[in-house]
Amino acid sequence: MIVKVDAKISSENLERIIERLQNDYKLKLHFSYGEEYTIIGVVGDTSVIDTDRILSIDGVADVQRVQEPYKRASRKFHPEDTIVKVGDVEIGGNNLVMMAGPCSVENEKQIIDTAKAVKAAGATMLRGGVVKPRTSPYAFQGLGMEGIELMKKAKEETGLPIICEVMSIEQLDKFGPHLDMIQLGARNMQNFDLLKAVGKTNIPVLLKRGLSATIEEWLMSAEYILAGGNENVVLCERGIRTYETAYRNVLDLNAVPMLKKLTHLPIVVDSAHATGKYWMVKPLGMAGVAAGADGLMVEVHPEPDKALSDGPQSLKFNVFEDLMQDVEKIANVLGKTFKKEK
Ligand code: PEP
Ligand code: MN
């Protein structure tokens, strides 16, 4: 642990820090004196320290733990941005990717028409669920393998790499070889056996944030996959549950710059599940890009009022085009490469 104190800290307060760390916690201290700050390196089992008790002392500028519980996901151990390759698409670095498609694959015409429309508007990847984590067991559950075949057909027609969710190891084994990227949904962020199984593959994975997961829990889930040897992990902020009921979830935009600081893994914002309302998808998506996201995921449907899942947050084709144009403006301001293959 590192304690950064003001060089002008009073001797009493400095004494208080030393006393607390040495006497209360029995740790060794190393001092290095700079012009503006004195850095105290704390050696020993720092996990017992209540950092707030140190931060509360006047003159303490910062207290930083050197060791996070996640190592492979941490930027400290891997300062460079990770770029995850999905087919020809690169996620991370200076690229801005757009993953678009229906919530669920419903039939051939729906997925092919949508794939063509999102491609024409400049999307870089096609999404579509074939197994759905529905709240009700009576709601549409997805087409399964038939849906995978339709996604492959859409890929053939458009050249867009495809991403589908898997909810079990069985589905991972069955669908994985056909996909360019797999999605682990919010409800499975802490399905540790599934995380371990995904870690043993080399398939790029989009790891969505759990419904009420903290950043640290989320990064620990990423750590499971990385620890298994699969380094192709992209995080997806999709809104968290709060006390607010006016919209489906709350898009935690804080997560974007925070994750950029903590981890080298790319981060994508899903402003569809984060809001649950089609007219909120564009403003929040733009905000996500402005906050530094490496990409967006949105849901697009030819006729949202007929969608078998998530119609209220699905964009019609012309609304998606409009979103793409405005996102491109932000990408240009940020100097990001926004690959629109028409
Ligand atoms: C989805 O992408 O359709 C989905 C179910 O997402 P989430 O896991 O974020 O709810
Ligand atoms: Mn959905």
Side-chain angles (χ1 to χ4, degrees):
M1 201 175 82
I2 287 165
V3 181
K4 182 175 159 190
V5 301
D6 207 311
K8 295 192 188 103
I9 190 171
S10 71
S11 53
E12 284 149 44
N13 281 338
L14 188 60
E15 207 42 55
R16 188 167 288 171
I17 298 171
I18 295 171
E19 202 183 277
R20 188 151 299 163
L21 295 172
Q22 274 183 343
N23 299 353
D24 294 1
Y25 294 120
K26 312 276 181 253
L27 297 161
K28 284 206 175 106
L29 307 184
H30 293 277
F31 289 82
S32 82
Y33 299 95
E35 271 180 32
E36 303 215 355
Y37 297 105
T38 298
I39 304 295
I40 310 174
V42 187
V43 183
D45 181 12
T46 55
S47 62
V48 292
I49 297 178
D50 179 352
T51 50
D52 281 351
R53 293 187 65 207
I54 309 293
L55 263 175
S56 311
I57 298 172
D58 204 19
V60 174
D62 199 12
V63 179
Q64 268 197 325
R65 290 193 185 278
V66 178
Q67 281 179 316
E68 283 97 6
Y70 45 88
K71 281 201 163 57
R72 289 175 170 84
S74 171
R75 203 180 264 288
K76 282 196 187 132
F77 292 86
H78 187 304
E80 300 292 311
D81 281 345
T82 282
I83 296 180
V84 174
K85 282 199 166 186
V86 182
D88 290 340
V89 176
E90 291 188 343
I91 310 176
N94 202 41
N95 308 300
L96 186 64
V97 299
M98 177 58 76
M99 305 172 177
C103 178
S104 299
V105 179
E106 297 170 2
N107 56 61
E108 181 165 343
K109 182 164 166 46
Q110 174 243 18
I111 190 64
I112 301 289
D113 286 356
T114 307
K116 285 181 178 164
V118 299
K119 163 86 191 260
T124 23
M125 284 180 65
L126 179 68
R127 65 147 284 148
V130 303
V131 285
K132 299 305 300 178
R134 305 305 296 278
T135 304
S136 165
Y138 309 118
F140 178 62
Q141 301 287 311
L143 294 183
M145 198 59 206
E146 187 192 337
I148 295 284
E149 293 302 334
L150 295 178
M151 284 294 278
K152 282 169 75 178
K153 207 160 186 180
K155 176 181 173 176
E156 264 170 42
E157 297 257 348
T158 58
L160 293 175
I162 52 177
I163 170 168
C164 297
E165 177 167 358
V166 300
M167 302 195 293
S168 65
I169 296 176
E170 192 192 349
Q171 290 166 2
L172 172 67
D173 293 343
K174 208 163 141 201
F175 305 156
H178 302 280
L179 300 172
D180 297 297
M181 187 173 213
I182 54 171
Q183 173 173 316
L184 294 185
R187 290 153 195 83
N188 278 302
M189 189 204 85
Q190 286 189 317
N191 182 339
F192 297 114
D193 281 350
L194 184 55
L195 296 174
K196 284 183 201 166
V198 169
K200 287 193 199 127
T201 75
N202 241 340
I203 311 171
V205 50
L206 186 76
L207 178 65
K208 287 192 153 196
R209 184 179 189 175
L211 309 176
S212 321
T214 64
I215 298 281
E216 189 166 298
E217 287 164 343
W218 190 8
L219 288 174
M220 289 305 283
S221 290
E223 189 80 5
Y224 264 89
I225 302 171
L226 297 169
N230 186 349
E231 293 178 353
N232 306 305
V233 180
V234 177
L235 302 165
C236 177
E237 162 60 40
R238 48 75 75 201
I240 50 173
R241 180 166 287 185
T242 73
Y243 54 83
E244 186 52 72
T245 55
Y247 18 81
R248 187 173 182 181
N249 290 299
V250 172
L251 178 61
D252 179 15
L253 274 181
N254 292 20
V256 179
M258 179 56 83
L259 285 168
K260 285 282 162 204
K261 190 175 169 66
L262 296 178
T263 182
H264 51 91
L265 300 172
I267 166 117
V268 163
V269 161
D270 170 351
S271 59
H273 294 86
T275 60
K277 298 184 191 300
Y278 72 90
W279 49 273
M280 292 182 78
V281 172
K282 181 169 98 169
L284 273 300
M286 288 167 74
V289 174
D294 299 295
L296 288 182
M297 171 176 267
V298 299
E299 292 183 335
V300 179
H301 195 283
E303 294 174 291
D305 59 315
K306 292 188 184 158
L308 297 181
S309 60
D310 286 349
Q313 68 197 32
S314 298
L315 309 181
K316 290 182 184 164
F317 296 166
N318 62 330
V319 180
F320 178 66
E321 276 168 36
D322 179 55
L323 173 144
M324 288 297 284
Q325 279 165 18
D326 282 351
V327 168
E328 187 169 23
K329 287 180 201 155
I330 301 195
N332 288 341
V333 169
L334 297 174
K336 292 236 182 185
T337 310
F338 190 40
K339 282 185 190 154
K340 294 176 74 177
E341 297 171 37
K342 289 205 178 175

